[in-house]
Amino acid sequence: MTNSVYIHIPFCQSICSYCSFTKFFYNEKQVDLYLDSLKKEVQEKYQGEIIKTIYIGGGTPSSLNITEFKKLFEIIKIFKLSDNLEFTIEVNPESIDEEKLKLFKINKVNRISMGVESTINENLKYLKRNHDFKLVKEKINLIKKYITNINVDLIYGLKNQTLKDLAYDINNILSLDITHISTYSLIIENNTYLKIIKEKNIPEDLDYEMYELIINKLKKSGFNHYEISNFSKPGYEAKHNLVYWNNLPYYGFGVSASGYLGNCRYTNTLSLKKYFAGNYLDNLEILSDKDIISYALILGFRKISGINKSEFFKRYKVNILDLYNIRDLIKSGLIIDNGTNLLISYDKIYVENSILINFVGE
Ligand code: SF4
């Protein structure tokens, strides 16, 4: 049963220096064609289940104008929505306004995710973002008039950034009094402006110190560290993202969107031209039982609370302790068995990827 929907809006008004996502410059004509195609894709694939989480990401969904949002919300009406729906839209500070927020509220949007990234002007310029922290404060206050469940994205590990700078960013973000914070260490990816100008990632020991600083400051301020990079006030964990980490199915609609339905994981085309022509699919991965279990472990261990052993057995009909080299990882202290759950030892969270590699393939 699929109860979750991801919709990708790939349009942006400007391009950030670190961005490796699929995105295109905002263009009214293309947005119109895009929404027509999106509607067709939803009508073709959606099987009529009750939808409990919707996440509209990008790109910059808030780059759409009011008329375009109205068209998008008409598409959302195709879904049967749960009374307990979590409905998130990503916004940028410069393109969200009161008129859009009123429309969001009427259309059941109840969670906003804002790309803040930094609160220091010099760093925002380096990232090629078009806002400052004054605008962020204004827009967060405006959003709170309509929607109070708000996530803010923070990027760290920038060139020349000091621990003091990061502490300043965290304090500013905490002063916004929001419910959720997602953190990202800046990785210089191929095909980004930062790569072209030959920027390098910061040294790993500094990256580690920054990660520790984030954890300490956010935990002291009442945030629960519930996934490697995500922190929430109690009860405000992102339900949609938990669908991914719990290896549950979800629809992915739009250019470059990924989905997980039945025993298939798929990624849509990266080409607008193909998408407009109704050729949505780019890649289809048919999963064996072993693949499904591998995903369940790699995604499940991202949660700080780890994987519940009896739920795992109920769902996959195997004892998690018998899989891969899990017993050895427990003996070596990398994985903890607390009786009900298996979890990555908290002091090894930073090197989590080197542990998860054990669960790839055979
Ligand atoms: S980071 Fe987000 S807002 Fe910036 S260019 Fe990429 S998709 Fe657009």
Side-chain angles (χ1 to χ4, degrees):
M1 184 67 100
T2 309
N3 303 114
S4 292
V5 168
Y6 174 80
I7 292 177
H8 193 72
I9 301 292
F11 302 101
C12 294
Q13 272 134 347
S14 62
I15 304 301
C16 306
S17 61
Y18 56 94
C19 181
S20 60
F21 302 124
T22 303
K23 75 274 166 186
F24 305 92
F25 274 113
Y26 173 86
N27 167 306
E28 265 188 25
K29 199 170 160 228
Q30 291 209 318
V31 172
D32 205 45
L33 289 171
Y34 188 77
L35 293 173
D36 289 341
S37 243
L38 183 68
K39 184 174 181 182
K40 282 190 203 138
E41 191 194 3
V42 170
Q43 285 169 330
E44 263 180 43
K45 290 187 186 161
Y46 173 54
Q47 297 292 312
E49 305 95 328
I50 302 283
I51 298 302
K52 296 180 181 167
T53 73
I54 300 178
Y55 192 103
I56 300 187
T60 311
S62 58
S63 64
L64 267 51
N65 64 33
I66 282 287
T67 313
E68 291 156 352
F69 264 120
K70 285 185 179 160
K71 197 165 166 179
L72 177 60
F73 288 127
E74 283 306 309
I75 299 171
I76 299 296
K77 286 184 184 152
I78 296 171
F79 300 112
K80 289 182 198 152
L81 302 179
S82 158
D83 291 341
N84 288 322
L85 176 74
E86 179 192 86
F87 187 173
T88 307
I89 297 189
E90 286 180 357
V91 305
N92 277 356
E94 64 275 24
S95 55
I96 187 66
D97 61 32
E98 189 145 18
E99 202 185 358
K100 289 179 193 175
L101 286 164
K102 281 183 184 163
L103 190 68
F104 288 4
K105 180 85 180 167
I106 294 167
N107 286 282
K108 301 191 168 72
V109 177
N110 53 16
R111 189 170 181 273
I112 294 288
S113 179
M114 182 185 274
V116 172
E117 321 305 357
S118 173
T119 69
I120 297 174
N121 284 342
E122 204 179 300
N123 288 345
L124 287 164
K125 268 195 202 126
Y126 176 73
L127 297 171
K128 291 192 183 279
R129 303 288 301 202
N130 297 321
H131 61 264
D132 58 18
F133 188 56
K134 185 171 167 281
L135 185 69
V136 168
K137 283 192 281 190
E138 277 170 31
K139 293 300 174 78
I140 291 282
N141 285 334
L142 183 64
I143 292 168
K144 282 183 182 172
K145 280 173 67 182
Y146 300 90
I147 295 164
T148 51
N149 190 2
I150 302 170
N151 170 65
V152 155
D153 289 342
L154 164 72
I155 293 185
Y156 65 97
L158 280 61
K159 183 169 117 177
N160 299 332
Q161 187 183 29
T162 62
L163 287 166
K164 207 171 146 205
D165 294 338
L166 178 60
Y168 178 81
D169 273 346
I170 299 169
N171 288 341
N172 278 333
I173 284 175
L174 285 170
S175 75
L176 298 171
D177 193 20
I178 35 129
T179 53
H180 195 284
I181 299 171
S182 297
T183 64
Y184 303 90
S185 168
L186 179 68
I187 309 279
I188 312 287
E189 306 265 15
N190 287 335
N191 302 319
T192 63
Y193 175 76
L194 292 181
K195 185 76 176 187
I196 292 166
I197 62 167
K198 297 193 166 46
E199 292 290 24
K200 297 270 181 292
N201 295 323
I202 61 161
E204 203 169 307
D205 49 354
L206 178 58
D207 188 76
Y208 175 65
E209 283 182 73
M210 289 186 164
Y211 184 61
E212 269 199 323
L213 178 72
I214 290 171
I215 291 176
N216 291 336
K217 281 186 83 68
L218 295 190
K219 282 176 81 166
K220 259 190 211 145
S221 302
F223 279 81
N224 172 25
H225 186 196
Y226 74 103
E227 191 267 352
I228 303 178
S229 311
N230 284 280
F231 301 81
S232 79
K233 288 274 175 67
Y236 287 95
E237 294 82 6
K239 290 182 192 161
H240 184 83
N241 291 19
L242 280 165
V243 165
Y244 302 149
W245 302 319
N246 287 326
N247 200 30
L248 292 167
Y250 57 94
Y251 289 103
F253 297 111
V255 157
S256 79
S258 295
Y260 174 31
L261 299 174
N263 63 343
C264 298
R265 285 188 177 266
Y266 65 89
T267 308
N268 274 355
T269 177
L270 308 187
S271 151
L272 277 182
K273 204 173 155 198
K274 284 189 184 161
Y275 191 74
F276 293 162
N279 299 323
Y280 309 122
L281 195 65
D282 179 58
N283 180 47
L284 184 70
E285 183 189 5
I286 311 243
L287 305 172
S288 65
D289 289 351
K290 273 185 185 157
D291 295 333
I292 291 172
I293 279 172
S294 167
Y295 272 109
L297 296 173
I298 290 169
L299 294 166
F301 278 125
R302 290 188 65 91
K303 293 175 295 171
I304 303 301
S305 62
I307 300 173
N308 181 288
K309 288 191 288 182
S310 60
E311 279 173 19
F312 193 94
F313 184 78
K314 248 190 242 161
R315 191 154 158 215
Y316 303 107
K317 312 284 179 263
V318 282
N319 182 349
I320 189 169
L321 293 167
D322 294 337
L323 295 170
Y324 296 90
N325 53 345
I326 284 196
R327 286 183 203 274
D328 293 336
L329 292 169
I330 293 172
K331 260 187 219 147
S332 62
L334 294 173
I335 288 183
I336 307 284
D337 182 350
N338 72 8
T340 54
N341 284 27
L342 293 190
L343 53 143
I344 304 280
S345 172
Y346 198 55
D347 62 348
K348 300 289 185 303
I349 286 288
Y350 185 74
V351 292
E352 167 133 354
N353 284 342
S354 66
I355 301 171
L356 297 181
I357 209 128
N358 284 283
F359 312 132
V360 176
E362 279 299 310

